[in-house]
């Protein structure tokens, strides 16, 4: 489970001073011990009981202009600071079952009951309310290829909640949690690892009953654009998709390019031939996903040929 960092109660810190101290500390979010070293700062921020409300009011007075600019999340998240390439600070709202937004939306939009890992590390502190619950698991990413249906050695650790003032470090590609609703509206504050390359690192959804990967959670716009490019009317963008299939640094993107090239073929057998290239790939993820896609094409051949 995430690394719990035990800290004494600490004096509150202003938000501006918190950011300045983080920047001065040469904080490196790729280093677990660097996260641990800044944990006392986050604890001090949690002791500041007014800064979040002040920031929220300031945002409202400015018609949430900064949120429009810097916040790509759902309304569950308030972006607090995004000046550095290396990290950003956010607040997350965790409604409880009695809250109107929960009654209106159900648990889905808040990521409750969706067991997942993270493709980034982050430090979190409970800021308000009793805190969300989690069933915590661990796994070893280096033992995993990463395809849906793959068995994973998922080890249950415990059920716990992120209480006010509790500081935890979620480690990328290791800690898995099945989040459960907070008993009452709660808020956590995170220091998040930020790196454009994280878009290409897989984040998984798990089936904890079967100890399997149930799917991938992160999808980039590159994948949607590859589908469009492969189907560009005069074939002008097909060479681009071929380039992605041959040389993109991310195996998932290389497979997606192959899949879209295959899907754009009017003849199913030509598509299967393209997928056979993927099945022969030395990269296990591409080989597995290509085989599964070829199987799907074969299984649906009759329907597809009628549609084409
Ligand atoms: Fe999570």
């Amino acid at each position: 489970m995430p690394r719990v960092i035990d800290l004494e109660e600490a004096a509150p810190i202003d938000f501006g001073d918190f950011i300045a101290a983080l920047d001065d500390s040469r904080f490196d979010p790729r280093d677990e011990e660097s996260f641990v070293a800044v944990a006392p700062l986050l604890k001090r921020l949690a002791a500041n009981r007014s800064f979040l409300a002040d920031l929220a009011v300031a945002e409202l007075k400015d018609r949430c202009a900064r949120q429009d600019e810097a916040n790509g999340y759902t309304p569950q998240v308030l972006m607090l600071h995004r000046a550095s390439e290396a990290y950003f600070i956010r607040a997350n709202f965790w409604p409880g079952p009695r809250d109107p937004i929960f009654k209106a939306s159900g648990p889905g939009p808040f990521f409750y009951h969706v067991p997942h890992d993270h493709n980034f590390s982050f430090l979190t502190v409970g800021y308000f309310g009793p805190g969300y619950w989690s069933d915590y698991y661990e796994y070893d990413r280096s033992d995993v290829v990463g395809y849906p249906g793959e068995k994973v050695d998922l080890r249950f650790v415990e059920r716990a909640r992120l209480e006010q003032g509790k500081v935890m470090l979620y480690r990328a590609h290791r800690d898995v949690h099945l989040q459960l609703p907070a008993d009452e509206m709660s808020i956590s504050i995170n220091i998040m690892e930020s790196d454009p390359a994280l878009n290409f690192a897989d984040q998984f959804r798990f089936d904890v009953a079967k100890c399997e990967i149930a799917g991938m959670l992160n999808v980039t716009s590159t994948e949607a654009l590859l589908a469009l490019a492969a189907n560009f009317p005069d074939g002008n963008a097909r060479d681009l998709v071929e380039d992605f299939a041959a040389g993109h640094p991310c195996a998932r993107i290389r497979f997606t390019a192959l899949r879209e090239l295959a899907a754009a073929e009017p003849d199913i057998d030509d598509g299967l031939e393209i997928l056979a290239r993927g099945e022969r790939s030395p990269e296990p993820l591409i080989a597995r996903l290509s085989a599964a896609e070829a199987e799907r094409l074969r299984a649906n051949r009759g329907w597809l040929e009628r549609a084409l």
Side-chain angles (χ1 to χ4, degrees):
M1 67 171 285
R3 188 167 161 184
V4 177
I5 301 166
D6 283 322
L7 296 163
E8 298 292 318
E9 288 306 319
I13 187 170
D14 285 341
F15 188 66
D17 293 341
F18 166 76
I19 295 297
L22 262 185
D23 289 339
D24 287 350
S25 71
R26 281 179 289 177
F27 166 58
D28 178 358
R30 292 164 302 181
D31 174 8
E32 184 173 330
E33 293 313 315
S34 188
F35 260 120
V36 173
V38 299
L41 279 175
L42 190 61
K43 178 87 175 177
R44 289 185 63 194
L45 186 66
N48 181 337
R49 305 310 299 160
S50 60
F51 89 96
L52 186 60
D54 292 343
L55 281 177
V57 169
E59 284 288 336
L60 287 169
K61 286 189 175 182
D62 199 25
R63 294 187 176 272
C64 297
R66 271 202 328 183
Q67 300 304 309
D68 286 345
E69 243 173 55
N71 188 351
Y73 292 98
T74 63
Q76 184 184 13
V77 170
L78 186 65
M79 188 63 69
L80 304 181
H81 177 80
R82 192 163 207 160
S84 158
E85 283 286 296
Y87 75 93
F88 61 91
I89 312 294
R90 68 180 190 182
N92 312 285
F93 296 80
W94 302 105
R98 285 196 292 269
D99 288 308
I101 193 166
F102 188 104
K103 286 181 183 164
S105 304
F110 310 106
F111 240 49
Y112 293 140
H113 307 291
V114 182
H116 62 278
D117 70 346
H118 308 87
N119 53 353
F120 48 84
S121 294
F122 66 101
L123 196 65
T124 189
V125 64
Y127 182 71
F128 175 83
Y132 65 77
W133 291 93
S134 283
D135 284 345
Y136 287 109
Y137 300 79
E138 285 186 29
Y139 85 114
D140 188 341
R141 176 68 177 89
S142 63
D143 294 341
V144 165
V145 173
Y147 58 90
E150 181 177 1
K151 290 288 178 196
V152 176
D153 182 16
L154 214 49
R155 299 174 295 277
F156 177 73
V157 182
E158 68 172 10
R159 176 172 291 190
R161 69 177 170 182
L162 182 62
E163 289 138 4
Q164 198 172 307
K166 184 176 181 180
V167 180
M168 293 200 297
L169 174 62
Y170 282 74
R171 298 158 301 177
H173 308 296
R174 181 189 283 198
D175 297 312
V176 172
H177 67 154
L178 188 168
Q179 257 173 304
L180 301 161
D183 296 331
E184 304 281 347
M185 174 65 85
S186 299
I187 301 173
S188 62
I189 297 170
N190 303 153
I191 303 175
M192 304 281 290
E193 179 182 2
S194 174
D195 183 334
L198 292 179
N199 286 332
F200 300 107
D202 296 327
Q203 181 179 19
F204 299 122
R205 181 164 53 83
F206 294 89
D207 182 326
V208 292
K210 293 182 180 170
C211 284
E212 284 180 4
I213 291 178
M216 289 186 198
L217 283 173
N218 55 327
V219 178
T220 65
S221 51
T222 307
E223 282 141 301
L225 290 171
L226 284 170
L228 290 172
N231 289 281
F232 206 65
D234 62 1
N236 183 29
R238 210 174 156 85
D239 58 332
L240 186 66
V241 187
E242 287 281 7
D243 281 352
F244 273 68
H248 195 281
C250 172
R252 177 162 48 84
I253 298 296
R254 294 203 297 282
F255 162 71
T256 303
L258 273 182
R259 184 190 66 201
E260 297 308 331
L261 287 168
E265 288 291 345
D267 187 291
I268 302 279
D269 288 315
D270 291 341
L272 287 169
E273 215 166 280
I274 290 172
L275 288 170
R277 277 161 50 192
E279 290 179 72
R280 292 192 296 272
S281 168
E283 172 64 51
L285 181 66
I286 296 176
R288 283 283 185 167
L289 293 177
S290 297
E293 182 66 9
E295 186 53 41
R296 199 175 70 87
L297 275 188
R298 284 189 201 97
N300 292 290
R301 176 189 278 271
W303 180 86
L304 285 166
E305 285 179 341
R306 275 199 303 279
L308 290 167

